Amino acid sequence: MLAKKCFALALFVAVGAIVGRAQPAQSAAKRTLVRAGHMLDVKTGKLLDGQTIVVVGETIQSIGPASTVQVQAGDTVIDLGGMTVLPGLIDVHTHLTMNTDFDPYHELISTDAKEAINGVANARVTLLAGITSVRNVGAGGYTDVDLRDAINAGQVPGPHMLVSGPAMGITGGHCDENLLPVQYHVVGDGVADGIAEVQHKVRQNIKYGSDLIKICATGGVLSKGDDPQASQYTLEEMQAIVADAHRLGRKVAAHAHGAQGILWATEAGVDSIEHGSYINDEAIAEMKKRGTYLVPTLYLEDWMLEKGNLPAFYHQKMIDVSAVAKSNIKHAMQAGVKIAMGTDAAVYPHGLNAHELDVYVNQLGMAPLAALQTATVNAADLMGWSAKTGSLEAGKWADIIAVEKNPLDDVRVLQDVKFVMKAGVVYKNESK
Ligand SMILES: [Zn+2]
């Protein structure tokens, strides 16, 4: 086997040398020209007409008026003359390996293998909806790690991913598995109590491939026997988690509904608060002071109240949280807390991610450009990927989507993305 590899390598080098002599190096780089009828600059809100984006390999090489870019032999030209082109969207709160089903027995019979298969299907659906990057915050085993690696290796289509592996939480908390009685001895993958155990769990998650750490700072809605308003991890446990994660180069995302848990997680130095349903002025002030992102996940409430079929022990919690979350989040938005778009997709079917922006604009009164920025520049910043994605600029990934109208006129047009390119590869083209 080794001998064969050596032979193949020698052949490749020899062919490369011949080609290298015959042609100048630059012409080897194959170009794709994306001709945009209109291109939206998500940083400024400006709409530029007649732009051409030159894509080489995975990245954008240049952007300029169509008249300045001549087609060369070997170029591939994609005509999006009737479309509005913008950067691929980013969802910073997904669960790609999970599906929408709240029958408790469904949850109990899940396996890591099933989750991996779900992930393959859902990654594709998500990408085709125009979501070119996600932060996956909680998966059984390390199925999200393998999904990320399979996407990066080109085995399966899907968005760029940052993954957390198992979400960390206290015994009996939102991130534990509480459906079965004691004789079954079931413990959630991410359960860790006390300083020593949380340090160990952070290090274990990083050992097995986690890009970030997800923790449960408070109770949750879709879990049995816990209270969304009650804090779960202590301030000291979260400080230990953040210290280890940051020292090892990982950000921390904290699931938090209750005000005390939001405040403690923020004081402990987490990078984002997920959900934030009971956020109050004290937490808002602390988040603004530290630059902590809030990741509201609000469309799920609309979907759930209309179509959800929840067991009684989840249902009342959903009613209670939904009654207050939107007004509290609206207050936080107006107070100037930084927002990144997250959806909790899996709680409702994958691919509906852009409905979240409709809630921000048409229910909470956020300006359309600000809403679009939550799913582009802000989300990229939270992920630490500002140099890679979040806007259309030379040197960034060629993550490009197109829609039929300017989303600043109607953000709902993002629910029907017609063209998707990720890292220079076209996954969908229904442009007219
Ligand atoms: Zn979630």
Side-chain angles (χ1 to χ4, degrees):
M1 193 61 197
L2 192 63
K4 263 192 203 164
K5 264 192 193 158
C6 287
F7 174 73
L9 188 65
L11 189 67
F12 176 75
V13 170
V15 171
I18 293 162
V19 172
R21 271 200 302 275
Q23 293 179 326
Q26 291 128 317
S27 67
K30 200 170 151 17
R31 307 195 314 170
T32 300
L33 310 186
V34 180
R35 296 220 181 269
H38 317 280
M39 191 185 83
L40 185 61
D41 181 338
V42 296
K43 288 184 168 174
T44 64
K46 272 194 198 141
L47 194 67
L48 298 168
D49 291 340
Q51 299 291 299
T52 294
I53 304 167
V54 180
V55 176
V56 175
E58 293 190 338
T59 56
I60 297 170
Q61 186 184 62
S62 64
I63 303 174
S67 58
T68 65
V69 182
Q70 304 305 320
V71 180
Q72 298 171 3
D75 284 350
T76 301
V77 178
I78 297 171
D79 182 12
L80 302 177
M83 312 291 289
T84 299
V85 169
L86 66 157
L89 302 179
I90 304 169
D91 185 340
V92 299
H93 192 126
T94 65
H95 301 280
L96 293 185
T97 64
M98 300 178 190
N99 280 347
T100 311
D101 189 335
F102 304 102
D103 175 356
Y105 189 66
H106 169 86
E107 194 174 315
L108 292 170
I109 60 168
S110 186
T111 63
D112 288 354
K114 279 185 189 170
E115 285 212 14
I117 293 166
N118 293 339
V120 169
N122 296 332
R124 180 174 177 276
V125 168
T126 302
L127 177 61
L128 295 183
I131 311 294
T132 51
S133 295
V134 304
R135 200 178 61 150
N136 206 70
V137 285
Y142 293 90
T143 47
D144 53 353
V145 169
D146 288 325
L147 179 63
R148 173 201 66 197
D149 292 350
I151 290 169
N152 289 344
Q155 284 178 288
V156 298
H160 303 285
M161 293 182 78
L162 288 182
V163 305
S164 71
M168 292 176 56
I170 66 165
T171 295
H174 178 60
C175 291
D176 196 358
E177 177 54 81
N178 306 326
L179 291 168
L180 290 171
V182 62
Q183 67 268 28
Y184 293 97
H185 306 291
V186 175
V187 178
D189 289 336
V191 170
D193 298 306
I195 304 296
E197 279 190 28
V198 298
Q199 286 175 328
H200 177 73
K201 188 61 77 174
V202 169
R203 294 168 194 182
Q204 187 182 53
N205 278 355
I206 293 171
K207 172 180 177 177
Y208 293 116
S210 298
D211 300 304
L212 74 141
I213 301 300
K214 163 81 181 292
I215 65 173
C216 286
T218 72
V221 175
L222 302 175
S223 47
K224 191 179 177 195
D226 63 329
D227 175 0
Q229 293 204 62
S231 299
Q232 295 195 338
Y233 271 132
T234 63
L235 175 61
E236 291 74 20
E237 285 170 318
M238 289 194 278
Q239 285 169 330
I241 289 167
V242 172
D244 250 38
H246 284 180
R247 195 180 68 256
L248 297 168
R250 299 322 195 263
K251 293 196 180 192
V252 180
H255 159 107
H257 289 287
Q260 179 71 75
I262 296 170
L263 183 63
W264 278 352
T266 305
E267 287 175 343
V270 303
D271 300 280
S272 64
I273 297 293
E274 314 296 305
H275 316 303
S277 307
Y278 293 89
I279 192 167
N280 62 11
D281 284 330
E282 198 182 2
I284 287 170
E286 189 68 17
M287 289 178 72
K288 283 185 69 178
K289 190 175 96 187
R290 291 172 175 268
T292 314
Y293 271 98
L294 174 62
V295 180
T297 55
L298 295 171
Y299 175 65
L300 75 87
E301 294 172 7
D302 295 353
W303 189 90
M304 195 63 71
L305 293 175
E306 194 186 323
K307 296 182 185 151
N309 185 19
L310 295 176
F313 48 81
Y314 299 159
H315 185 70
Q316 190 56 47
K317 292 199 282 183
M318 182 61 71
I319 299 282
D320 294 345
V321 168
S322 298
V324 298
K326 279 180 187 160
S327 60
N328 290 338
I329 299 288
K330 181 177 183 176
H331 179 54
M333 286 173 169
Q334 288 174 340
V337 173
K338 293 197 292 185
I339 309 288
M341 186 192 80
T343 64
D344 227 351
V347 170
Y348 58 85
H350 297 271
L352 303 180
N353 314 59
H355 284 73
E356 183 74 16
L357 299 178
D358 184 27
V359 177
Y360 298 173
V361 173
N362 294 314
Q363 294 188 40
L364 305 188
M366 186 184 262
L369 179 60
L372 197 50
Q373 288 171 339
T374 70
T376 52
V377 283
N378 292 10
D381 179 44
L382 173 56
M383 289 174 77
W385 278 1
S386 293
K388 297 179 175 178
T389 191
S391 59
L392 297 177
E393 289 176 81
K396 293 194 179 186
W397 282 324
D399 293 349
I400 301 169
I401 63 172
V403 290
E404 286 183 325
K405 285 184 282 185
N406 184 349
L408 300 187
D409 295 334
D410 182 0
V411 78
R412 286 171 295 189
V413 75
L414 295 168
Q415 296 167 18
D416 188 16
V417 170
K418 298 294 188 189
F419 173 86
V420 179
M421 171 185 276
K422 183 201 128 197
V425 177
V426 176
Y427 291 90
K428 179 183 194 177
N429 189 356
E430 295 171 358
S431 63
K432 288 176 201 140

